[in-house]
Amino acid sequence: MKELRIKYDFSHGPIWKDKYDVEKGIWSTGIDIIDNDKVLMDLNEKAENEYSMLYHFDKDGVLNFDTQAFISKQDALLSLIQSIVLRVESLNDGSFVVVDEESKRLSGNKEQL
């Protein structure tokens, strides 16, 4: 059974796209019902943009994560993940399982991050 991983990372939407089509030059999940859903891809893009804004390059070109900004945006990031998971679950035809790596982390104690 295929897995659909939900996970934030810099310059990645939380819908983990780990398949690359050389001919088309695009990344995908390999799950057509997910890859072809416009609502889901719009949510994914919005979440990617919000999360990527938490990173910045310092004067030496080193990528840094802004933990304080993350804490202040944590509820909004969780809300986006929940919307994505709800949409994914409504589309799930039983051919894949959802591995949500973010909801528990984002709903945890903010001081422990």
Side-chain angles (χ1 to χ4, degrees):
M1 180 172 288
K2 293 180 182 178
E3 284 187 354
L4 178 65
R5 192 163 304 281
I6 308 294
K7 174 183 170 181
Y8 278 119
D9 196 9
F10 175 69
S11 193
H12 256 285
I15 297 173
W16 209 249
K17 297 178 180 182
D18 58 354
K19 310 285 186 274
Y20 186 72
D21 184 325
V22 177
E23 292 178 13
K24 294 180 183 177
I26 59 170
W27 287 93
S28 74
T29 66
I31 304 168
D32 288 341
I33 198 165
I34 299 299
D35 294 328
N36 295 323
D37 187 80
K38 178 151 176 41
V39 171
L40 198 51
M41 290 303 109
D42 288 346
L43 283 168
N44 190 58
E45 184 177 335
K46 181 176 181 179
E48 177 182 343
N49 290 338
E50 289 295 319
Y51 192 75
S52 291
M53 288 185 346
L54 299 173
Y55 288 86
H56 66 278
F57 290 95
D58 67 15
K59 62 182 171 77
D60 298 321
V62 176
L63 186 63
N64 292 286
F65 182 75
D66 186 339
T67 303
Q68 291 303 321
F70 172 75
I71 290 169
S72 71
K73 287 186 168 203
Q74 192 170 344
D75 291 337
L77 293 169
L78 176 59
S79 179
L80 282 166
I81 290 292
Q82 290 170 333
S83 295
I84 287 169
V85 169
L86 284 172
R87 180 69 181 181
V88 164
E89 288 174 351
S90 75
L91 296 172
N92 195 342
D93 60 2
S95 65
F96 63 92
V97 62
V98 179
V99 179
D100 178 0
E101 297 183 18
E102 291 299 333
S103 291
K104 186 175 181 179
R105 180 177 77 99
L106 289 167
S107 60
N109 186 342
K110 293 179 183 182
E111 275 83 49
Q112 293 180 357
L113 296 173

